[in-house]
Amino acid sequence: MRLLNSTGIPAARYRAYRGEFDAAIAHVLRNGQFILGEQVLAFEREFARHLRAKHCVTVASGTDALELILRASGIGAGHAVLTVSHTAVATVAAIERAGAIPVLVDIDPATFTMDPGSLEQTIDEFTRRRRGPALRAVIPVHLYGHPADMPRINSIAKARGLLVFEDGAQSHDASLRQKRAGTWGDAAAFSFYPTKNLGGFGDGGAVVTNNGRLAEKIRRLREYGWKQRFVSSLPGLNSRLDELQAALLRVGLKHLPAENNHRREIAHRYDEGLASAAVVRPKAAPHAVHVFHQYVVRTERRHSLQTSLAARQIITQVHYPVPIHRQPAYVGRLYFSRAGLPQTEAAAREVLSLPMSPFLKVGEVEDVCSAVCSWRRTGKART
Ligand SMILES: *Cc1c(COP(=O)(O)O)cnc(C)c1O
């Protein structure tokens, strides 16, 4: 038996609601409209309402959503944007694609999200020593399904006149103090990559915001800067969600709350089954609703644990083994504090994502738990 990791999610999701997906596809194909039609409009309305935000503008990917938020906010050459190094490379890539300079902040070791203390220190250092690019925005990432500390990040940003854009690609429906991740800042980017909590069957993304002017500008940017057909009022690009994906995502959105509940149930079983295991378990901050995009444990002997689980056909993943500032494309050229990024480095060495999917069965979770617990008891293969 190969235990389902996140790569198996789209196929399992199709099997689970096959009738609804097939009907959605047939409807779009019969309807004959494939770009920016009724399905996209309906999905945008439904996703915005679901998050209790005013506007949703769909685009071609989560990376594009981040880039377009920056561009529509007038952020580009000569500007710097703060984010974390413990994230998908897309977060940093989007900042550079907008023409701005990324500035990296360390993470909180308990939640793996942006550490407000490091944010403050990095802003102070950057502002003091740099004559070059001006800091304009902060992009906290709600990693693994856990919301970043938005109240503190917002107040630090506000005091310095910085905009706040959330990367919600891993946190559809996570919340903090009953308020959804993606509705705390000036705008948020979501991805609908197939393995995300709300995933399509191809690429897709969205911007969510309460700022009507920003939403309107992104609507133009995503289609050649058109104000009306064939009249470009802005230098834009082509970044659209298609009708098929929108129709499929409308089905997925209906099932998202139940899927996230099931993810939390699995996490709860992991918590119980791993209580005596030699790993650090993930923990939600007070007042946070964690949606467990990943269930991530920590151990200094990760390689040993991963190998031991693999020998039992339990496939785990590492998110992420190499922080952005150490990736070949970025090494030596990204700015971060003189204090370094020690919590980021430690996380990259120690994190391990156990199988997590809304389609995992209780028995499978128990198998993983007993494998992790027996790894500790035998204690063999020390690395
Ligand atoms: C997946 C992801 C993205 C990028 O989304 P794409 O749709 O693949 O472009 C950005 N940030 C984070 C944290 C992600 O997990």
Side-chain angles (χ1 to χ4, degrees):
M1 175 185 54
R2 280 185 120 230
L3 277 171
L4 188 66
N5 66 22
S6 57
T7 54
I9 289 176
R13 187 176 278 135
Y14 177 59
R15 283 194 297 274
Y17 331 121
R18 183 174 181 163
E20 291 173 76
F21 284 132
D22 286 348
I25 290 170
H27 177 83
V28 172
L29 296 188
R30 266 198 307 269
N31 214 29
Q33 195 174 7
F34 300 98
I35 299 292
L36 298 184
E38 60 169 31
Q39 296 298 320
V40 164
L41 271 178
F43 175 72
E44 289 178 343
R45 219 167 28 235
E46 287 161 8
F47 193 54
R49 191 186 311 139
H50 188 87
L51 297 181
R52 283 181 245 124
K54 284 201 184 126
H55 309 280
C56 167
V57 184
T58 54
V59 294
S61 71
T63 314
D64 279 7
L66 286 168
E67 181 191 340
L68 287 171
I69 288 171
L70 293 170
R71 287 179 55 168
S73 305
I75 296 175
H79 301 140
V81 177
L82 297 132
T83 190
V84 287
S85 192
H86 187 65
T87 180
V89 76
T91 318
V92 171
I95 295 171
E96 291 203 331
R97 272 185 47 185
I101 306 284
V103 177
L104 303 176
V105 174
D106 210 0
I107 53 167
D108 173 299
T111 62
F112 300 104
T113 61
M114 182 178 278
D115 172 14
S118 172
L119 173 64
E120 242 172 341
Q121 186 187 338
T122 309
I123 293 173
D124 288 347
E125 271 183 44
F126 191 86
T127 323
R128 226 179 299 125
R129 64 182 266 183
R130 282 281 173 126
R131 287 243 189 80
L135 285 175
R136 292 293 301 276
V138 188
I139 305 183
V141 180
H142 305 304
L143 202 72
Y144 304 150
H146 190 285
D149 186 349
M150 294 311 297
R152 283 188 66 199
I153 291 169
N154 275 351
S155 81
I156 293 166
K158 205 165 179 190
R160 273 124 171 138
L162 304 176
L163 294 167
V164 177
F165 305 127
E166 300 159 80
D167 182 338
Q170 301 191 3
S171 287
H172 314 78
D173 253 6
S175 62
L176 192 60
R177 299 182 187 169
Q178 322 258 17
K179 190 173 159 63
R180 293 293 206 302
T183 63
W184 283 84
D186 295 285
F190 285 89
S191 164
F192 307 120
Y193 182 82
T195 60
K196 308 290 188 186
N197 288 43
L198 177 56
F201 294 84
D203 275 314
V207 174
V208 168
T209 180
N210 288 328
N211 181 338
R213 280 192 20 226
L214 187 71
E216 186 46 40
K217 199 160 175 191
I218 292 170
R219 274 185 209 287
R220 285 192 214 169
L221 285 174
R222 75 173 169 185
E223 196 174 38
Y224 324 120
W226 281 353
K227 185 169 185 176
Q228 62 197 72
R229 207 166 168 76
F230 304 129
V231 181
S232 293
S233 60
L234 299 163
L237 63 149
N238 174 0
S239 180
R240 302 175 296 216
L241 185 76
D242 63 69
E243 287 284 289
L244 272 173
Q245 292 304 329
L248 295 167
L249 285 166
R250 291 180 72 196
V251 174
L253 182 57
K254 277 192 230 151
H255 297 282
L256 177 68
E259 285 193 10
N260 279 342
N261 281 338
H262 192 70
R263 287 174 185 268
R264 268 192 294 278
E265 173 64 24
I266 288 167
H268 180 67
R269 286 174 185 272
Y270 270 140
D271 284 343
E272 290 186 336
L274 299 176
S276 64
V279 295
V280 178
R281 285 172 280 128
K283 198 163 167 281
H287 314 293
V289 174
H290 196 322
V291 292
F292 291 97
H293 177 62
Q294 299 293 348
Y295 185 93
V296 176
V297 298
R298 303 179 72 129
T299 164
E300 286 171 6
R301 297 164 55 214
R302 176 178 67 202
H303 180 72
S304 161
L305 175 57
Q306 189 168 31
T307 317
S308 158
L309 294 178
R312 295 160 178 254
Q313 308 292 310
I314 296 169
I315 308 306
T316 56
Q317 293 170 293
V318 175
H319 303 96
Y320 297 91
V322 184
I324 315 295
H325 66 284
R326 293 196 180 278
Q327 300 264 348
Y330 300 97
V331 69
R333 65 180 191 82
L334 295 184
Y335 182 88
F336 48 88
S337 161
R338 257 169 288 143
L341 300 167
Q343 296 301 339
T344 296
E345 312 274 0
R349 282 192 305 268
E350 298 175 8
V351 293
L352 187 67
S353 306
L354 298 185
M356 171 53 84
S357 145
F359 308 102
L360 210 57
K361 298 191 176 61
V362 170
E364 295 173 317
V365 177
E366 281 161 8
D367 289 346
V368 179
C369 290
S370 65
V372 175
C373 290
S374 70
W375 164 73
R376 182 186 92 131
R377 275 197 294 277
T378 60
K380 66 186 170 198
R382 271 198 92 96
T383 52

mmCIF file of all heavy atoms in Angstrom, residues 35-36 40 58-61 64 203-205 222-224 226 229 237-242:
data_model
loop_
_atom_site.group_PDB
_atom_site.id
_atom_site.type_symbol
_atom_site.label_atom_id
_atom_site.label_comp_id
_atom_site.label_asym_id
_atom_site.label_seq_id
_atom_site.Cartn_x
_atom_site.Cartn_y
_atom_site.Cartn_z
ATOM 1 N N ILE A 35 -13.699 31.481 -22.328
ATOM 2 C CA ILE A 35 -12.876 32.498 -21.657
ATOM 3 C C ILE A 35 -13.773 33.593 -21.089
ATOM 4 O O ILE A 35 -14.619 34.128 -21.806
ATOM 5 C CB ILE A 35 -11.863 33.126 -22.662
ATOM 6 C CG1 ILE A 35 -10.913 32.066 -23.233
ATOM 7 C CG2 ILE A 35 -11.088 34.267 -22.010
ATOM 8 C CD1 ILE A 35 -9.927 31.471 -22.246
ATOM 9 N N LEU A 36 -13.549 33.938 -19.819
ATOM 10 C CA LEU A 36 -14.271 35.036 -19.161
ATOM 11 C C LEU A 36 -15.772 35.039 -19.473
ATOM 12 O O LEU A 36 -16.319 36.020 -19.965
ATOM 13 C CB LEU A 36 -13.641 36.392 -19.519
ATOM 14 C CG LEU A 36 -12.187 36.586 -19.068
ATOM 15 C CD1 LEU A 36 -11.708 37.999 -19.395
ATOM 16 C CD2 LEU A 36 -11.987 36.320 -17.579
ATOM 17 N N VAL A 40 -16.742 31.895 -14.825
ATOM 18 C CA VAL A 40 -15.740 32.716 -14.141
ATOM 19 C C VAL A 40 -16.433 33.759 -13.267
ATOM 20 O O VAL A 40 -16.090 33.933 -12.086
ATOM 21 C CB VAL A 40 -14.788 33.386 -15.162
ATOM 22 C CG1 VAL A 40 -13.999 34.522 -14.523
ATOM 23 C CG2 VAL A 40 -13.821 32.345 -15.739
ATOM 24 N N THR A 58 -10.244 36.491 -10.819
ATOM 25 C CA THR A 58 -9.459 35.292 -11.101
ATOM 26 C C THR A 58 -8.402 35.587 -12.163
ATOM 27 O O THR A 58 -8.584 36.443 -13.032
ATOM 28 C CB THR A 58 -10.355 34.141 -11.591
ATOM 29 O OG1 THR A 58 -11.128 34.604 -12.701
ATOM 30 C CG2 THR A 58 -11.265 33.646 -10.490
ATOM 31 N N VAL A 59 -7.290 34.866 -12.054
ATOM 32 C CA VAL A 59 -6.167 35.006 -12.988
ATOM 33 C C VAL A 59 -5.617 33.604 -13.283
ATOM 34 O O VAL A 59 -6.193 32.608 -12.858
ATOM 35 C CB VAL A 59 -5.066 35.934 -12.407
ATOM 36 C CG1 VAL A 59 -5.581 37.366 -12.270
ATOM 37 C CG2 VAL A 59 -4.560 35.435 -11.063
ATOM 38 N N ALA A 60 -4.491 33.550 -14.002
ATOM 39 C CA ALA A 60 -4.010 32.260 -14.499
ATOM 40 C C ALA A 60 -3.272 31.414 -13.464
ATOM 41 O O ALA A 60 -3.125 30.205 -13.649
ATOM 42 C CB ALA A 60 -3.120 32.481 -15.725
ATOM 43 N N SER A 61 -2.769 32.030 -12.386
ATOM 44 C CA SER A 61 -2.039 31.261 -11.365
ATOM 45 C C SER A 61 -1.893 32.104 -10.102
ATOM 46 O O SER A 61 -2.120 33.324 -10.127
ATOM 47 C CB SER A 61 -0.634 30.884 -11.874
ATOM 48 O OG SER A 61 0.185 32.037 -11.938
ATOM 49 N N ASP A 64 0.858 34.704 -10.704
ATOM 50 C CA ASP A 64 0.341 35.881 -11.415
ATOM 51 C C ASP A 64 -0.469 36.768 -10.475
ATOM 52 O O ASP A 64 -0.417 37.997 -10.566
ATOM 53 C CB ASP A 64 -0.561 35.461 -12.582
ATOM 54 C CG ASP A 64 0.236 35.069 -13.824
ATOM 55 O OD1 ASP A 64 1.486 35.004 -13.738
ATOM 56 O OD2 ASP A 64 -0.393 34.834 -14.875
ATOM 57 N N ASP A 203 -3.850 24.922 -13.933
ATOM 58 C CA ASP A 203 -3.435 26.118 -13.198
ATOM 59 C C ASP A 203 -4.592 27.088 -13.001
ATOM 60 O O ASP A 203 -5.541 27.107 -13.786
ATOM 61 C CB ASP A 203 -2.313 26.839 -13.962
ATOM 62 C CG ASP A 203 -0.931 26.252 -13.647
ATOM 63 O OD1 ASP A 203 -0.659 26.032 -12.443
ATOM 64 O OD2 ASP A 203 -0.158 26.015 -14.582
ATOM 65 N N GLY A 204 -4.478 27.895 -11.976
ATOM 66 C CA GLY A 204 -5.474 28.932 -11.730
ATOM 67 C C GLY A 204 -5.104 29.718 -10.497
ATOM 68 O O GLY A 204 -4.337 29.242 -9.650
ATOM 69 N N GLY A 205 -5.626 30.933 -10.396
ATOM 70 C CA GLY A 205 -5.349 31.754 -9.222
ATOM 71 C C GLY A 205 -6.376 32.860 -9.103
ATOM 72 O O GLY A 205 -7.234 33.020 -9.982
ATOM 73 N N ARG A 222 -5.313 41.840 -16.451
ATOM 74 C CA ARG A 222 -5.308 40.412 -16.809
ATOM 75 C C ARG A 222 -5.695 40.187 -18.264
ATOM 76 O O ARG A 222 -5.541 39.095 -18.797
ATOM 77 C CB ARG A 222 -6.251 39.610 -15.898
ATOM 78 C CG ARG A 222 -7.717 39.791 -16.214
ATOM 79 C CD ARG A 222 -8.607 38.860 -15.416
ATOM 80 N NE ARG A 222 -9.999 39.261 -15.558
ATOM 81 C CZ ARG A 222 -11.006 38.701 -14.908
ATOM 82 N NH1 ARG A 222 -10.781 37.707 -14.061
ATOM 83 N NH2 ARG A 222 -12.227 39.132 -15.074
ATOM 84 N N GLU A 223 -6.272 41.202 -18.911
ATOM 85 C CA GLU A 223 -6.665 41.061 -20.307
ATOM 86 C C GLU A 223 -6.145 42.238 -21.122
ATOM 87 O O GLU A 223 -6.890 43.128 -21.521
ATOM 88 C CB GLU A 223 -8.185 40.933 -20.429
ATOM 89 C CG GLU A 223 -8.589 40.398 -21.782
ATOM 90 C CD GLU A 223 -10.086 40.121 -21.883
ATOM 91 O OE1 GLU A 223 -10.883 40.896 -21.323
ATOM 92 O OE2 GLU A 223 -10.451 39.129 -22.522
ATOM 93 N N TYR A 224 -4.832 42.249 -21.340
ATOM 94 C CA TYR A 224 -4.163 43.214 -22.220
ATOM 95 C C TYR A 224 -4.373 44.661 -21.810
ATOM 96 O O TYR A 224 -4.190 45.570 -22.618
ATOM 97 C CB TYR A 224 -4.623 43.046 -23.683
ATOM 98 C CG TYR A 224 -4.880 41.622 -24.093
ATOM 99 C CD1 TYR A 224 -6.132 41.216 -24.542
ATOM 100 C CD2 TYR A 224 -3.862 40.661 -23.999
ATOM 101 C CE1 TYR A 224 -6.370 39.895 -24.895
ATOM 102 C CE2 TYR A 224 -4.099 39.338 -24.346
ATOM 103 C CZ TYR A 224 -5.358 38.960 -24.789
ATOM 104 O OH TYR A 224 -5.606 37.663 -25.137
ATOM 105 N N TRP A 226 -7.142 45.990 -21.289
ATOM 106 C CA TRP A 226 -8.352 46.492 -21.951
ATOM 107 C C TRP A 226 -9.306 47.142 -20.969
ATOM 108 O O TRP A 226 -9.655 46.558 -19.945
ATOM 109 C CB TRP A 226 -9.117 45.344 -22.634
ATOM 110 C CG TRP A 226 -8.543 44.930 -23.928
ATOM 111 C CD1 TRP A 226 -7.526 45.521 -24.623
ATOM 112 C CD2 TRP A 226 -8.968 43.790 -24.701
ATOM 113 N NE1 TRP A 226 -7.291 44.821 -25.775
ATOM 114 C CE2 TRP A 226 -8.165 43.756 -25.861
ATOM 115 C CE3 TRP A 226 -9.955 42.814 -24.528
ATOM 116 C CZ2 TRP A 226 -8.308 42.777 -26.842
ATOM 117 C CZ3 TRP A 226 -10.099 41.842 -25.499
ATOM 118 C CH2 TRP A 226 -9.274 41.831 -26.652
ATOM 119 N N ARG A 229 -13.125 46.221 -25.169
ATOM 120 C CA ARG A 229 -12.480 45.355 -26.135
ATOM 121 C C ARG A 229 -11.634 46.150 -27.125
ATOM 122 O O ARG A 229 -12.104 47.137 -27.699
ATOM 123 C CB ARG A 229 -13.556 44.556 -26.873
ATOM 124 C CG ARG A 229 -13.053 43.246 -27.396
ATOM 125 C CD ARG A 229 -14.233 42.354 -27.808
ATOM 126 N NE ARG A 229 -13.755 41.219 -28.578
ATOM 127 C CZ ARG A 229 -13.159 40.163 -28.045
ATOM 128 N NH1 ARG A 229 -12.990 40.085 -26.741
ATOM 129 N NH2 ARG A 229 -12.727 39.191 -28.816
ATOM 130 N N LEU A 237 -1.363 42.187 -19.724
ATOM 131 C CA LEU A 237 -0.871 40.875 -20.148
ATOM 132 C C LEU A 237 -2.068 39.952 -20.295
ATOM 133 O O LEU A 237 -3.212 40.400 -20.220
ATOM 134 C CB LEU A 237 0.150 40.322 -19.138
ATOM 135 C CG LEU A 237 -0.326 40.039 -17.723
ATOM 136 C CD1 LEU A 237 0.449 38.884 -17.131
ATOM 137 C CD2 LEU A 237 -0.168 41.259 -16.847
ATOM 138 N N ASN A 238 -1.813 38.684 -20.531
ATOM 139 C CA ASN A 238 -2.888 37.713 -20.590
ATOM 140 C C ASN A 238 -2.743 36.785 -19.403
ATOM 141 O O ASN A 238 -1.809 35.995 -19.325
ATOM 142 C CB ASN A 238 -2.813 36.931 -21.905
ATOM 143 C CG ASN A 238 -3.829 35.796 -21.945
ATOM 144 O OD1 ASN A 238 -4.586 35.594 -20.991
ATOM 145 N ND2 ASN A 238 -3.851 35.056 -23.028
ATOM 146 N N SER A 239 -3.640 36.896 -18.434
ATOM 147 C CA SER A 239 -3.609 36.017 -17.272
ATOM 148 C C SER A 239 -5.044 35.760 -16.835
ATOM 149 O O SER A 239 -5.603 36.514 -16.051
ATOM 150 C CB SER A 239 -2.805 36.656 -16.142
ATOM 151 O OG SER A 239 -2.784 35.779 -15.032
ATOM 152 N N ARG A 240 -5.645 34.718 -17.406
ATOM 153 C CA ARG A 240 -7.056 34.455 -17.155
ATOM 154 C C ARG A 240 -7.275 33.022 -16.677
ATOM 155 O O ARG A 240 -6.583 32.109 -17.103
ATOM 156 C CB ARG A 240 -7.858 34.682 -18.444
ATOM 157 C CG ARG A 240 -7.700 36.088 -18.999
ATOM 158 C CD ARG A 240 -8.406 36.269 -20.327
ATOM 159 N NE ARG A 240 -7.860 35.445 -21.379
ATOM 160 C CZ ARG A 240 -7.753 35.830 -22.660
ATOM 161 N NH1 ARG A 240 -8.155 37.028 -23.029
ATOM 162 N NH2 ARG A 240 -7.251 35.017 -23.557
ATOM 163 N N LEU A 241 -8.272 32.873 -15.804
ATOM 164 C CA LEU A 241 -8.771 31.543 -15.457
ATOM 165 C C LEU A 241 -9.767 31.183 -16.564
ATOM 166 O O LEU A 241 -10.524 32.041 -17.002
ATOM 167 C CB LEU A 241 -9.483 31.599 -14.104
ATOM 168 C CG LEU A 241 -9.978 30.271 -13.526
ATOM 169 C CD1 LEU A 241 -8.792 29.476 -12.967
ATOM 170 C CD2 LEU A 241 -10.996 30.499 -12.406
ATOM 171 N N ASP A 242 -9.761 29.927 -17.028
ATOM 172 C CA ASP A 242 -10.705 29.611 -18.099
ATOM 173 C C ASP A 242 -12.021 29.069 -17.538
ATOM 174 O O ASP A 242 -12.119 28.710 -16.369
ATOM 175 C CB ASP A 242 -10.071 28.661 -19.123
ATOM 176 C CG ASP A 242 -9.721 27.327 -18.520
ATOM 177 O OD1 ASP A 242 -10.658 26.571 -18.189
ATOM 178 O OD2 ASP A 242 -8.522 27.039 -18.352
#
